[in-house]
Amino acid sequence: ALMGSFVLIGNILERPPDSIVGLTLLASLFLAVTPSLAVDMSFLLSFGSTAGLLLLAPRVAERLSAWPSFLALPLAVALGSQLAVTPLILAFSHQLPLSSLAANLFFTPMAELAMTVALAGLLLPVVGQGLLVTASLLLGGVERGLAWLSCHPFAALPVRQAPWWSAIFYYLALISCFYMPRSEKRKLYPRRLLMLLAFGAWLLCLSPLWLPRFAVYFLDVGQGNAAAVLTPHGHVIVIDS
């Protein structure tokens, strides 16, 4: 809401706002008021994905310029937002969400449409009830679709916890892929080599890309805590009391 307000004020003053500056100022304001947000998952993912939309999505769209626009733009938006926060997702969940790209491509537009229809339903007195019912049906479809995706056996790949500094390699690979100046073909090899080395170093910090031989997960279930124990023999013990 605040970012949208910045854009509207800039338009009224006929001064196009700098989105990155606005996002940085807004994040600084939040952190000044509540410093503990620096380690809050929702705060980091929200601002990180927004930064990905601003910084990475346009670059991805450039790489997909040969694609039809109705495919290239949604894919660029989904990839840009997800690439920006992948290390954060791994740090918080210890899983690589393979299904989230499909969720962003197919179900995020449905959710946006539902929000628009619901807003229209609140503002229009005659057909409002019908629009709200339509929005409810759309959101029900989103919920069922996401539930189906999350139950897929390849929805997420468990990974080990990597040290925080390993994310430097990941973002170095992103910068070398999207932001280093493009030149003639023979001069691209050092950039590609840097990208591959940085990305490979980051993957090594995540290896092995499977569950450890013995693991214990503590799950916040709302009214208490549950523990899931994975044994070396493949047994799962759930403790919930």
Side-chain angles (χ1 to χ4, degrees):
L2 291 175
M3 282 292 291
S5 300
F6 289 156
V7 173
L8 289 175
I9 293 172
N11 290 336
I12 292 172
L13 299 178
E14 297 183 351
R15 295 180 58 185
D18 189 320
S19 300
I20 297 301
V21 172
L23 187 67
T24 303
L25 291 175
L26 189 58
S28 302
L29 175 63
F30 273 73
L31 291 173
V33 175
T34 312
S36 61
L37 288 176
V39 292
D40 181 80
M41 178 176 65
S42 60
F43 174 84
L44 293 175
L45 291 178
S46 296
F47 277 85
S49 59
T50 304
L53 291 175
L54 297 174
L55 294 172
L56 294 179
R59 299 299 177 110
V60 176
E62 288 178 8
R63 304 295 177 87
L64 301 176
S65 57
W67 291 37
S69 58
F70 69 92
L71 288 176
L73 184 58
L75 184 58
V77 168
L79 280 174
S81 60
Q82 184 161 335
L83 287 173
V85 296
T86 293
L88 296 175
I89 293 174
L90 297 183
F92 284 118
S93 68
H94 309 296
Q95 291 182 331
L96 182 62
L98 302 179
S99 61
S100 59
L101 182 60
N104 285 329
L105 279 175
F106 297 107
F107 297 112
T108 299
M110 285 182 62
E112 293 173 348
L113 177 61
M115 293 173 62
T116 305
V117 173
L119 180 61
L122 292 173
L123 297 177
L124 299 176
V126 178
V127 294
Q129 186 173 359
L131 291 175
L132 290 176
V133 171
T134 303
S136 177
L137 293 174
L138 286 171
L139 288 178
V142 171
E143 182 183 9
R144 288 177 177 81
L146 292 177
W148 176 80
L149 271 181
S150 65
C151 292
H152 196 278
F154 297 104
L157 179 67
V159 297
R160 63 177 290 184
Q161 184 173 6
W164 64 267
W165 49 263
S166 65
I168 297 174
F169 295 122
Y170 176 85
Y171 289 112
L172 181 60
L174 275 189
I175 293 171
S176 61
C177 178
F178 291 108
Y179 270 89
M180 291 185 69
R182 307 181 73 172
S183 54
E184 17 180 292
K185 188 173 182 180
R186 63 184 180 83
K187 294 183 180 180
L188 288 176
Y189 294 119
R191 188 186 76 175
R192 290 174 177 171
L193 180 61
L194 174 63
M195 180 185 67
L196 291 175
L197 289 176
F199 191 70
W202 178 67
L203 286 181
L204 285 177
C205 294
L206 293 174
S207 63
L209 291 175
W210 51 76
L211 283 172
R213 295 191 63 191
F214 179 84
V216 181
Y217 292 91
F218 296 96
L219 313 173
D220 183 359
V221 295
Q223 297 179 345
N225 289 323
V229 182
L230 282 70
T231 72
H233 300 289
H235 299 292
V236 180
I237 306 168
V238 178
I239 305 166
D240 183 13
S241 61

